[in-house]
């Protein structure tokens, strides 16, 4: 048996230790081979590793950018309009607009109007409503996402969402004619037992009549409740299932899962929903227009004070809108509300950003 003569193929020249000239045909370095492969065109003619924007993506990006620019320009235009219409009235104002409690605009040659009391009433009634609505909304959202049986979850969520569809004037009529008489014993008791505390002290409003910040704040809390609940519930539902299962695997109870996993995950959404509800509370008009009783006494930071918010004051003065100067005084008040809304939204974004960090 003859022995076959085996000859090894000649190796490519180059230093093996340096890796140059090893592995490629005709002495082509491996680095060049990998580069050639990476840059080789795909069947569509596009080099590998490079993405191509599809026409739909480009159209969507253009629409989104245009919408953002348009909204920014629109908001800026609203602010410029408010300033432009408010300046003539402010130039005739004989008192400090930000610190005065007066509101006399009948005579355009002797106007004296200030927004201090309106601002304070707006802030107090909105914060009172928010303090009442936030824990209730949180409890409802937790119940719907974790504790509610399936047969009750959808109907209950639908009923709560339906509260947002009720017109504000209906809330105002209900608050004035039904809720105020029903809540009167509680208001009287709080005033008698806790009257030493400034929030429950006797104010400028009628406790028995119900036209106070106390009544208006509770009605307003019911109005903003579905907004906060809906946003919070939708965020809680998005909690990653592996995180929940991991907590259960470690022996956590259902409440511990809620406390350590669901609430921390949805905290930013809960704050966002609360600020959205606060925005509606700050601008609510008709319900507070019907419930709150105006008064000439200065505001004393009591829940049993009367008065008017910025929005309800503008509604009360609609008869003066035929005169541009008189209307400018109310537009100036609207400008304060406009700025206040921006401040609230900026504060909410700062809180959310801090939570993410």
């Amino acid at each position: 048996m003859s022995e076959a003569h085996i000859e090894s193929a000649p190796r490519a020249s180059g230093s093996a230790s340096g890796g140059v000239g090893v592995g490629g045909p005709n002495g082509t370095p491996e680095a060049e081979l990998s580069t050639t492969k990476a840059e080789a065109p795909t069947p569509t003619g596009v080099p590998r590793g490079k993405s191509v924007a599809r026409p739909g993506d480009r159209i969507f990006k253009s629409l989104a950018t245009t919408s953002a620019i348009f909204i920014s320009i629109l908001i800026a235009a609203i602010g410029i309009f408010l300033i432009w219409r408010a300046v003539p009235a402010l130039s005739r104002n004989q008192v400090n607009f930000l610190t005065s409690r007066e509101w006399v605009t009948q005579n355009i040659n002797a106007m004296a109007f200030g927004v201090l009391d309106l601002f304070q009433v707006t802030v107090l009634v909105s914060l009172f409503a928010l303090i009442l609505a936030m824990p209730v909304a949180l409890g409802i959202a937790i119940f719907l996402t974790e504790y509610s049986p399936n047969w009750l979850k959808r109907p209950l969520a639908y009923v709560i969402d339906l509260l947002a569809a009720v017109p504000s004037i209906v809330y105002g009529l209900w608050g004035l004619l039904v809720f105020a008489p029903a809540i009167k014993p509680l208001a009287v008791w709080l005033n008698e037992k806790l009257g030493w505390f400034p929030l429950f002290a006797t104010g400028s409003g009628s406790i028995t009549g119900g036209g106070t910040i106390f009544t208006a704040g509770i009605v307003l809390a019911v109005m903003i409740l579905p907004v906060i609940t809906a946003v919070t519930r939708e965020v809680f539902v998005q909690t990653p299932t592996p995180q929940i299962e991991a907590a259960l695997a470690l022996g956590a109870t259902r409440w511990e899962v809620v406390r350590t996993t669901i609430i921390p995950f949805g905290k930013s959404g809960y704050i966002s929903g609360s600020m959205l509800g606060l925005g509606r509370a700050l601008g609510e008009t008709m319900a507070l227009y019907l419930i709150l009783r105006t008064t000439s006494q200065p505001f004393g930071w009591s829940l049993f004070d009367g008065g008017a918010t910025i929005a309800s004051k503008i509604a009360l003065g609609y008869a003066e809108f035929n005169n541009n100067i008189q209307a400018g005084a109310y537009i100036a008040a609207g400008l304060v509300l406009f700025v206040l809304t921006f401040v609230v939204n900026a504060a909410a974004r700062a809180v959310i950003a801090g939570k993410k960090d």
Side-chain angles (χ1 to χ4, degrees), residues 86-312:
V87 166
L90 291 173
S91 63
R92 294 171 179 256
N93 193 8
Q94 298 181 357
V95 295
N96 190 299
F97 174 67
L98 296 176
T99 60
S100 175
R101 301 175 185 270
E102 300 180 60
W103 195 273
V104 181
T105 58
Q106 288 75 19
N107 185 358
I108 61 174
N109 295 319
M111 299 179 70
F113 57 93
V115 77
L116 180 60
D117 273 356
L118 303 177
F119 178 82
Q120 291 176 338
V121 173
T122 301
V123 170
L124 180 59
V125 71
S126 300
L127 289 180
F128 180 57
L130 188 67
I131 290 171
L132 294 178
M134 283 184 67
V136 177
L138 179 62
I140 294 174
I142 293 173
F143 175 77
L144 288 176
T145 54
E146 295 300 318
Y147 293 96
S148 175
N150 292 331
W151 62 268
L152 180 61
K153 185 176 299 184
R154 187 178 297 273
L156 183 59
Y158 177 75
V159 170
I160 294 172
D161 292 341
L162 192 61
L163 291 174
V166 178
S168 59
I169 193 169
V170 175
Y171 276 113
L173 291 172
W174 170 75
L176 180 65
L177 302 177
V178 178
F179 183 72
I183 204 71
K184 181 174 67 175
L186 175 62
V188 172
W189 183 86
L190 288 173
N191 179 246
E192 291 178 350
K193 302 298 182 180
L194 301 176
W196 53 269
F197 190 66
L199 278 178
F200 301 104
T202 302
S204 59
S206 173
I207 299 177
T208 57
T212 61
I213 294 174
F214 181 74
T215 305
I218 298 177
V219 174
L220 196 56
V222 177
M223 296 177 68
I224 66 176
L225 180 65
V227 177
I228 304 175
T229 303
V231 176
T232 306
R233 184 180 73 244
E234 292 301 324
V235 175
F236 283 175
V237 169
Q238 303 302 321
T239 305
T241 303
Q243 294 185 14
I244 298 176
E245 293 176 346
L248 292 173
L250 292 173
T253 63
R254 180 170 292 185
W255 165 242
E256 288 173 337
V257 170
V258 171
R259 183 172 56 85
T260 61
T261 303
I262 295 177
I263 292 180
F265 176 82
K267 186 179 294 183
S268 61
Y270 176 53
I271 296 174
S272 299
S274 301
M275 293 303 103
L276 187 63
L278 179 60
R280 180 180 179 182
L282 290 171
E284 179 53 42
T285 305
M286 291 310 301
L288 301 182
Y289 172 83
L290 293 174
I291 296 174
L292 283 175
R293 292 290 176 264
T294 57
T295 177
S296 58
Q297 300 182 30
F299 179 69
W301 287 96
S302 170
L303 292 176
F304 300 118
D305 274 328
T309 64
I310 295 176
S312 64

